[in-house]
Amino acid sequence: MPFKRPLSSHTSDDESISSHDGPSSKRHILPCNIKEEKLLLVYILQAKIHPETMSELAALVENYKSERVNKSHQEPSVVSKLNIELTSHAEKADVIVTGTNMRRRLERHIDWSIAKTKAIVTPLWLRDSVTSDRPLPCGSYVAIHDIEDETSRNYDIVQDTSSSSPFRFSSGPEKETSWQTEPDEPIDATEVKSLSHNAKYSCLRSSPLVCPNQTLVNEIDIIRRGRNVEGEERSMLSYSRAISVIKAYPHVITERNFQDLRELPFLGEKLLSMIEEFLKTDRITDAQKILADPRFQSLSAFITIHGIGPHSARRLYDLGLRTLEELERYYEVRPGVSDEETMSLLDTEVSANTEDAVEKSIKIGLALRHDLSQTIPRDEVEEINRTIMRELGHVQKGCKSVIAGGYRRGKPQSNDVDIVITHADWHIGSQKVKGLCRKLVQRLYEQGFVTHVMHLSGFHKHKALRTHHWDSLEKALTVFVWPHNLSRRRVYRRVDLIFAAPEVFWTAVVGWTGSTMFQRDLRLWAKQKKGMKFDSSGISRRHDSKLYHPSTERDVFKALGLVYVHPTLRNADA
Ligand code: CTP
Ligand code: MN
Ligand code: MN
């Protein structure tokens, strides 16, 4: 055996295990010297709140939570007084946020006997509390006037506000959420209305980042991940489909409306009985069994390393390896130190997807795993993009980029940064972009921003061999780091750079915005319904290979005969 440590040790950054309450899968932890404020559990009632407002509010809370933790590390003395968490169970909540002011409407979703024990407020309470960094008194935000007194009283009990000042506040115009800095246009309500949660393809549905049944989704996702690590692809795909259907379902699933689920696609009897079990017990036995399975824990941990897929994970497991520490020893890697030289990938003409290159990328992923497993907040994603585009300006003027991936779908924290780049000139852009990926990576390396290239592709020696547009994207999957001279801790980040000619820029943006299931369904829709072929590197008509060259993102949807779906509503995966 190439390792000696006892098998029982388990690392803290193994595949994170979804929490059962609250949409985030990662716990936010304050430094231990800080006194924690009382936790306020907030339930957002989906009914009467528009799906995009719903996901905006949920993202607001998630983002606030992580910013609060970051700030508390930087300035422990000024940690905010607002400690909130979302719950998907009204009965567990301290505060219920709702868009309705009618008792009758509320009662359709929440028992009156429960409602009377809660503080029931308008969404503005959540926004203003977040803006003010403190849980504001409920008085001016009462949603249901029938229980105005109960709301204030219940809130006072939870908050123990006797000592707090009788702070009055304005219920002025609703404020912008602070993280929404991306240039995407706002959501068009008429477009959203023409999407349908019953549709078979996720590109016809509206899928928010956090859905009203997110804890159920997280539970089913455990089973999907279980099938994934075992290589059971068909089964995994049916769980992915079930998840994507539930992501778009706009109502909280209860025993009362359970039968309505039969009208949704891809939810067979097995799934329905799992959902039923979840409604009764808050758990799905199959999911809990998988979570508790040591083999699942090992395989899940292994596939978090770049370069290790389910197949390699099982091979490593069969060698007797169980933990990431054992993997480190097996690959002779020192944590935090990566001696691997992958920049040589830049020297070769052909893409280096050899076994050797893969092994190198595994070693890098392992050595840097403590950094790479940390998520990236939105402002840093933006800063990385700005830095890279500034460097690109030294290599080629006139380029533009869109940050795609989870960031563009509204995730407050990303696992990596996906940047799609083109040249702004439609006519000469294609020539300008060719070979640019390699040049940019070289420049970033020389400037100390990129330390490793895990994978390079789309570099073709013989242009004549190209029969299609789909190999026209140049890609570099890199490791980025802020250079030493800047006053911050060096954290390694994964950054994907995708170069596209202007004609395929927007298809590349759509492809790389994801989510994976949304992308998959775009391809399927194009093929099954439109006789077309779609992927990140282009759209073409099957029968005569006619190419489409969309000049906006809307054009991509139009070419495929689809209503535009806003990026933040493309979260068709868990
Ligand atoms: N994608 C792709 N080809 C790849 C890898 C990814 O087309 N070789 C697309 C997928 O559609 C995916 C999107 O790019 O949805 C972004 O992928 P990824 O960065 O892996 O995931 P995110 O959704 O951005 O989420 P995160 O990075 O935060 O995990
Ligand atoms: Mn990403
Ligand atoms: Mn990526």
Side-chain angles (χ1 to χ4, degrees), residues 405 415-418 477 494-496 498 512:
N415 291 307
D416 71 351
V417 184
D418 306 286
L477 314 190
R494 279 266 304 102
V495 173
D496 291 342
I498 301 99
W512 280 80

Side-chain angles (χ1 to χ4, degrees), residues 260-274:
D260 301 348
L261 298 187
R262 296 188 184 277
E263 283 155 35
L264 300 182
F266 305 117
L267 295 183
E269 286 307 321
K270 191 159 151 204
L271 248 310
L272 288 171
S273 71
M274 284 177 175

